[in-house]
Amino acid sequence: SSGINAEYGGNKQVPGASDVVKHLLSLNKNVIFVTNNTSKTRAAYRETFKAVLDITVSDNQVYSAGISAALYVKQKLKPGEKIFLIGSKGLSETMDESGVEYIGHGCDMDASYFTDFLDYIPESNVKFVVGAFDGYFNYAKMAKAFIYIKECGAEYIATNLDMNHSLNDSRLLPGTGAVLEGLNQSLGMQPKVLGKPSPIMFDMISKDHNLEDKSKVLMVGDTLQSDIQFGINSGVDTALVLSGITSRDVLDQEASIKPTFIVNSIADLLK
């Protein structure tokens, strides 16, 4: 069977996670790591797994929403075409690795008021606006993305629409969904989501790993709206671990999302 999304908790190991992953690998199970975090490349994630979990993984065992976005636009772009990128340094590096040409990345202080855009001329051949977490996101970037979508017909996609990001056990922060919400509201539309909980991401993984038999796939995660809904949307069994941001109270409040299994910690999967 194939387990998807074993946890590592940022740069701090979730107790028992390393033992579970090592045990699954010793049984020749196909363990695939899936994240909506676009701040790192595959190489950086592999280094993290080695440092935090003491496991060695290959590139095709790591899928971020940024990698999904890069693969998606790469197969649709023609030579000379590009994307307008709202995202972090890690996502720009992922696009570089995939050979995707982009504009818009980084700090943009071009404009701060409506009239600043009277003479703005958008670049040609921008076919996608890719939305992800961007600490530099401001009105200038929002307005340019809006123009590329509304005036130029660029397709609008997003890595995820997670409203919150769990920094650690005690601090929750606004997530990608919060960053993009103003743009979404002004456009009057939602982007096509390529990360969790979209089944598009699962289809990419399935194609790479021949996961036709979904009865042999288990999605393990700590968020209902992202991880568990991803498994449900993809038609596979799910295991919710309560060692992350989902508590029993949250579970009771979100009764519409029902995981197949519920465990206190990922370590319980070995019991």
Side-chain angles (χ1 to χ4, degrees), residues 13 80 110 158 166 220 227 263:
Q13 184 186 145
D110 278 356
S166 179
V220 183
D227 298 326
V263 293

Side-chain angles (χ1 to χ4, degrees), residues 7 17 29 58 77 88 111 136 148 202 216 237 246-247 270:
E7 305 181 340
K29 301 299 183 185
S58 59
L77 290 172
S88 63
Y136 290 116
Y148 280 115
F202 182 86
K216 293 184 176 180
D237 284 342
T246 304
S247 63
L270 289 182

Side-chain angles (χ1 to χ4, degrees), residues 22-35:
K22 286 177 179 177
H23 182 68
L24 290 171
L25 293 173
S26 74
L27 297 174
N28 291 319
K29 301 299 183 185
N30 191 3
V31 181
I32 303 163
F33 299 88
V34 186
T35 178

Side-chain angles (χ1 to χ4, degrees), residues 94-132:
T94 295
M95 292 297 173
D96 288 337
E97 288 181 356
S98 301
V100 175
E101 187 179 347
Y102 55 85
I103 60 170
H105 174 254
C107 185
D108 186 342
M109 302 302 290
D110 278 356
S112 60
Y113 196 66
F114 305 127
T115 50
D116 295 333
F117 286 93
L118 280 171
D119 300 317
Y120 176 70
I121 301 172
E123 288 194 32
S124 60
N125 286 334
V126 173
K127 299 301 179 182
F128 290 91
V129 169
V130 178

